[in-house]
Amino acid sequence: MRTAARFSRCISCLLFPSGAMAEVRCSLVCGVAALLLSSAVFAFVEDLDDTFKDTRVNDVWLVDFYAPWCGYCKKLEPVWHEVGAELRSSGSPVRVGKMDATAYSGMASEFGVRGYPTIKLLKGDLAYNYKGPRTKDDIVEFANRVAGPAVRALPSKQMFEHMMKRHDVLFVYVGADSPLKEKYNEVATELIVYTYFFSASEEVLPETISLPELPAVMVFKDGGFFTYDEYEDGSLSSWVNKERFQGYLQIDGFTLYELGETGKLVAIAVIDEKDPTEESSRLKTMIQGVARDYREQFNRDFQFGHMDGNDYINSLIMSEVAVPSFIILNTSNEQYFLPSEPVQTTEQLVHFITGVLNGSAQAYGGDGFIQKIKRVAFDAKSTIMSVFRSSPLLGCFLFGLPLGVISLMCYGICTAETDDGSEDMDALKREGLTDEEEEFEEEEEEQRRLAEGAEDEDDVGEKDPEEKKTD
C-alpha cells in the first residue's frame, strides 16, 4: 500500500509539478463551485406545466411565458434567473417560474398571452402585465411593488419623509374612510403596475401643508404637491395616469411608449448629450422653465422632456429633424408639430405650444391610408439598409438571390418558343361543329384530295416533247 501511494505521488509529481498541481486543484475547485452555484441559481426558477393553473392559487407568481425559438426570450433567460435568485435571497414571497407557451398554448391563451416573452405577476384572481425594461432591478422592483398591498400605510412623519426621498412621484390619500377612499383603492389596484400608492392621516404630513378639505388625494412631485379635483380633473384613474410622471424628464423609446398611454402630447427637445452645445443647453433650460412655470396652463395636455439624439424621432416621423430642435408628438394618431421658425425665446415657445393646443399650428404625419403605405415602405427600406450595414454579404444573399431567380424566370418566359397551334385550332373548330357539318366538311376534304390527285396525273401526262424524245 505504501509503495503504491509513493508510486502515485511520484507519477503526480512527474505530470504536475507542485505549482502546476496547485493551479489544477484551484481550477477544479472553482469549476465545481461554479457548477453548484449555477445549479442553485437555476433552481430559483421553476419550470411550469399545465398543472400550474390548479396549484398557483395560494401563492404569488412571477411567470415568464416564452417560446424556445424567440430571440428576445433567449436574451431574457439569464436575467430571469438573476431575478429568481434576487427574490429568493431577499425573502420575497414571490415565486418565479417560466412556461413554454408553445408547448402549453391552451394555458398561455387563458392568461392572455399574445406575444413572447410575456411577463405576468399572478396574485389571486388578478394578473398584472409587466411592460417595463427587461432588467433585473426593474423586474424585481415591479414584483415587490405589485405583490404587496395596493395601498400602503404611512404611520409616521419619519416614514413619510423616507418615502418622499425614495420616490420622485408619490400618491397619498389623506383622510378617513369615504367613497373617495374606495375609489382610490380601486385605482391603486388597477395602476399598481406603474407606481406606488400610500395612505396617511393629516398629522403625518409636513406642517407646511394645509388642506382646505378632507378627504383628499395628493401627488407629491417636482418639489411641490398637487391635489385632485373631481370637477376639474375628471376621473381619478385618468388623473393618476397623467400625473404619474414628473413634469420634465429624459425620454427614450420605452418612456415615449408609456407616455402614449396618458393621452398627453409630448413636447421634446431633441439634443445631443454626447456633444452638448450652447444651443442645446439653452433649448433644454427653456423647456424646463415652461414645464415648471406654465404648469397650470399646459400640464393637463402636455408632457415635457428631452431626448438624446434624433434617430428614434426620425424613425417615428419618417423624416429627419435637426439637432438641437423642438418637436411635439401626438402618439395617439402619429401626428407631429414643428415650429415654422427656430425658437429663440420662451414667448415664442409658449406661442407655438398654444397654437398646437388650439389647433392653429400645422400638423404633419398622421395615421391615414397614404401614411400607412409610406410607413410600410419606410420600414422595408430601413430593414434592408440595416441588414446591408451590419452584413453586406448576407444582404446580397438574402435580396440578390430572390431577384436573380425572378429575373431568370422572366427571361425564360419571354424567350420561350411558341408551338404551332394550327392543329389544335382545327381540333377546336371540329369540336364546335354539328354532325352534319362535320360530314359535309369531311366530304369537302375528300373532294379536295381527289382534285389534287387528278391535277398530279395531268401533270404527269402532259410531258414536254423533249422529255418524250428522251423517253
Side-chain angles (χ1 to χ4, degrees):
M1 290 293 291
R2 290 180 181 178
T3 304
R6 290 195 190 99
F7 180 75
S8 64
R9 281 198 296 269
C10 292
I11 294 296
S12 299
C13 291
L14 288 172
L15 293 177
F16 303 105
S18 59
M21 195 67 180
E23 291 181 3
V24 170
R25 289 173 181 170
C26 182
S27 300
L28 289 173
V29 170
C30 291
V32 172
L35 181 62
L36 293 174
L37 181 61
S38 62
S39 62
V41 169
F42 276 81
F44 296 149
V45 178
E46 303 179 41
D47 286 307
L48 306 176
D49 54 26
D50 51 3
T51 63
F52 172 66
K53 182 180 178 181
D54 300 324
T55 60
R56 75 171 187 89
V57 181
N58 298 324
D59 295 304
V60 179
W61 282 89
L62 184 66
V63 182
D64 168 29
F65 294 90
Y66 70 96
W69 45 260
C70 171
Y72 293 106
C73 301
K74 294 177 182 177
K75 187 177 180 180
L76 176 63
E77 185 175 2
V79 176
W80 198 247
H81 289 291
E82 292 178 3
V83 169
E86 176 71 20
L87 290 174
R88 180 70 63 87
S89 63
S90 65
S92 172
V94 179
R95 298 176 66 179
V96 181
K98 61 178 183 176
M99 177 180 289
D100 184 349
T102 60
Y104 305 103
S105 57
M107 182 70 63
S109 298
E110 289 186 27
F111 287 112
V113 176
R114 297 290 181 270
Y116 311 113
T118 294
I119 299 174
K120 287 179 177 285
L121 188 134
L122 308 174
K123 184 171 68 171
D125 296 331
L126 301 175
Y128 296 92
N129 289 328
Y130 177 71
K131 301 178 181 179
R134 293 172 187 151
T135 63
K136 184 198 75 172
D137 293 338
D138 288 298
I139 297 174
V140 168
E141 197 273 340
F142 163 82
N144 289 328
R145 181 175 69 246
V146 180
V151 178
R152 292 166 166 84
L154 298 176
S156 64
K157 288 181 179 291
Q158 292 78 10
M159 182 63 72
F160 178 84
E161 293 173 359
H162 176 69
M163 289 301 166
M164 284 287 292
K165 293 177 181 178
R166 283 191 59 187
H167 301 284
D168 296 324
V169 179
L170 194 73
F171 289 97
V172 182
Y173 171 85
V174 183
D177 293 341
S178 67
L180 180 60
K181 185 174 184 179
E182 294 179 4
K183 190 178 298 183
Y184 181 76
N185 290 336
E186 293 175 1
V187 172
T189 302
E190 174 191 356
L191 300 180
I192 189 68
V193 292
Y194 299 120
T195 187
Y196 284 91
F197 293 86
F198 298 92
S199 65
S201 62
E202 191 174 11
E203 292 76 18
V204 170
L205 302 179
E207 296 178 357
T208 55
I209 298 176
S210 60
L211 296 174
E213 61 179 2
L214 294 176
V217 177
M218 309 171 65
V219 58
F220 293 84
K221 67 176 186 176
D222 302 330
F225 68 93
F226 309 95
T227 307
Y228 166 68
D229 188 328
E230 184 177 2
Y231 298 102
E232 293 184 3
D233 300 317
S235 72
L236 180 60
S237 176
S238 175
W239 180 78
V240 169
N241 196 35
K242 289 183 177 182
E243 294 289 349
R244 60 188 175 92
F245 294 99
Q246 294 176 276
Y248 183 92
L249 67 161
Q250 182 171 355
I251 298 173
D252 55 17
F254 172 74
T255 309
L256 190 61
Y257 170 78
E258 275 202 315
L259 290 172
E261 298 181 355
T262 66
K264 288 185 176 183
L265 301 177
V266 187
I268 303 175
V270 183
I271 60 176
D272 187 357
E273 292 189 321
K274 301 178 185 65
D275 185 20
T277 62
E278 183 179 349
E279 179 65 17
S280 295
S281 301
R282 185 189 65 81
L283 184 61
K284 180 179 176 181
T285 303
M286 187 188 306
I287 296 175
Q288 286 175 328
V290 171
R292 179 184 63 251
D293 301 334
Y294 291 83
R295 174 186 164 83
E296 292 297 326
Q297 186 174 347
F298 296 136
N299 180 68
R300 287 188 179 87
D301 302 291
F302 291 92
Q303 173 65 51
F304 295 90
H306 71 270
M307 179 174 284
D308 182 21
N310 62 353
D311 293 339
Y312 192 83
I313 296 293
N314 292 345
S315 66
L316 283 180
I317 67 175
M318 295 180 290
S319 183
E320 187 168 351
V321 296
V323 178
S325 63
F326 181 72
I327 186 172
I328 295 179
L329 300 175
N330 186 345
T331 56
S332 63
N333 60 7
E334 300 181 10
Q335 285 185 340
Y336 63 95
F337 304 85
L338 293 170
S340 57
E341 56 185 15
V343 177
Q344 300 295 333
T345 64
T346 301
E347 288 73 21
Q348 286 180 311
L349 182 59
V350 171
H351 178 73
F352 172 64
I353 297 173
T354 304
V356 173
L357 190 59
N358 61 30
S360 61
Q362 174 67 44
Y364 302 93
D367 54 359
F369 180 72
I370 295 178
Q371 286 297 123
K372 290 180 179 178
I373 294 177
K374 289 182 179 179
R375 170 58 63 185
V376 172
F378 180 83
D379 290 343
K381 177 183 174 182
S382 301
T383 302
I384 294 173
M385 294 300 294
S386 64
V387 170
F388 274 99
R389 278 196 298 266
S390 61
S391 178
L393 292 177
L394 178 62
C396 292
F397 176 76
L398 290 177
F399 300 104
L401 182 61
L403 291 176
V405 172
I406 294 173
S407 301
L408 290 174
M409 291 175 62
C410 293
Y411 177 78
I413 292 172
C414 295
T415 59
E417 294 182 0
T418 57
D419 297 331
D420 186 7
S422 57
E423 295 181 0
D424 294 337
M425 292 297 296
D426 292 340
L428 291 174
K429 286 181 180 179
R430 291 193 190 96
E431 289 178 0
L433 298 175
T434 61
D435 294 340
E436 295 179 356
E437 291 174 337
E438 190 171 349
E439 291 177 2
F440 178 74
E441 185 138 332
E442 289 177 355
E443 291 177 0
E444 284 188 346
E445 183 70 22
E446 184 67 23
Q447 292 176 1
R448 195 180 301 114
R449 282 198 294 270
L450 292 174
E452 289 175 356
E455 289 177 359
D456 293 339
E457 290 178 359
D458 292 341
D459 291 339
V460 173
E462 295 177 359
K463 288 185 178 180
D464 190 73
E466 294 294 330
E467 293 178 355
K468 290 181 179 180
K469 289 181 181 180
T470 303
D471 294 340

